[in-house]
Amino acid sequence: MGTLLHISASPRGEASESLRIARQFIEAYRETHPEDQVEHWDLWDGSLPEFAAGARAKMTVFGGGEPQGEEGDAWAAARRVFDRFDAADRVLFSVPMWNSGIPYVLKQFIDVVSQPGWVFGVDLETGYQHLLAGRGKKVATVYTSAVWAPGIAPGFGSDFQSTYFNDWLRWTGITDLSEIRFHPTLTGDADAARADAHAQARELGKSF
């Protein structure tokens, strides 16, 4: 039995396009993977720890030390977040575009889990070591935006959403990546784009 973990970076509930698309994916996934467990993680639910002390703990670890006191508590809290992410062999992210990038709560998630010995190592000669590589982990990401779209004029914004997030995923060592996109633009056919995204989500969910 496997686990599909759905991590949502959208706070908009029923009004969220990324969550609607994710639901299509999950429904199709359940149809073809009835024995698997599906978990939902709303990053806005308060489960992500503040990381000021954690940042100090990170540097303690880099220096070969063991975080103590407040730093130790922060490090343990970060580890719980990482373990929840790491435990799933299949992960679905819902990622709306905010100001050409990702929601800040998703950046907080990235900063909490991206720790030495968990996600990465560093070799003085070859650079970063990608510690989630070779473990069979698969990630699908729903990318949505209302104004920017591929091929649209520069005046409608830029994509630092998928470029940043995909780069982070590859940096961890995860290379089995899939995308579902919904970018109707202000003047496009939103209904047609939505129907296409939902169809893509169902198709990918069946085979994921």
Side-chain angles (χ1 to χ4, degrees):
M1 184 179 72
T3 299
L4 171 66
L5 176 62
H6 172 221
I7 299 178
S8 172
S10 174
R12 299 184 62 227
E14 293 300 318
S16 169
E17 295 283 3
S18 64
L19 290 180
R20 291 172 185 164
I21 295 168
R23 280 196 291 270
Q24 295 294 319
F25 180 104
I26 292 167
E27 288 175 5
Y29 183 90
R30 288 185 187 277
E31 291 171 5
T32 53
H33 304 77
E35 73 286 356
D36 283 8
Q37 183 178 0
V38 178
E39 299 179 1
H40 299 274
W41 188 357
D42 178 3
L43 295 182
W44 298 92
D45 65 5
S47 59
L48 292 179
E50 296 295 330
F51 204 61
R56 297 193 296 272
K58 180 176 186 174
M59 300 313 296
T60 297
V61 171
F62 262 127
E66 182 73 23
Q68 302 293 329
E70 182 185 18
E71 290 185 13
D73 293 342
W75 195 246
R79 181 70 199 199
R80 288 191 292 271
V81 174
F82 170 77
D83 285 345
R84 186 175 180 183
F85 169 61
D86 190 45
D89 54 345
R90 302 287 187 272
V91 184
L92 171 66
F93 284 94
S94 299
V95 184
M97 179 179 283
W98 280 23
N99 301 310
S100 297
I102 62 174
Y104 65 82
V105 73
L106 181 55
K107 182 60 166 61
Q108 182 180 357
F109 168 84
I110 289 171
D111 290 340
V112 169
V113 303
S114 297
Q115 304 305 334
W118 307 352
V119 162
F120 71 93
V122 180
D123 184 279
L124 294 180
E125 294 185 1
T126 61
Y128 283 114
Q129 299 169 321
H130 315 290
L131 300 185
L132 300 189
R135 298 171 58 179
K137 202 177 192 71
K138 298 177 66 173
V139 170
T141 306
V142 177
Y143 289 115
T144 62
S145 62
V147 179
W148 178 86
I152 204 166
F156 289 89
S158 302
D159 176 20
F160 300 112
Q161 171 200 38
S162 66
T163 53
Y164 172 80
F165 193 60
N166 286 344
D167 184 73
W168 176 75
L169 289 169
R170 287 189 292 267
W171 178 71
T172 70
I174 302 171
T175 57
D176 194 338
L177 307 177
S178 303
E179 296 180 359
I180 306 151
R181 289 180 173 271
F182 175 67
H183 306 296
T185 78
L186 296 174
T187 58
D189 188 336
D191 290 338
R194 184 178 297 109
D196 182 59
H198 284 200
Q200 289 181 49
R202 291 195 61 82
E203 188 65 27
L204 181 58
K206 291 177 182 177
S207 60
F208 193 61

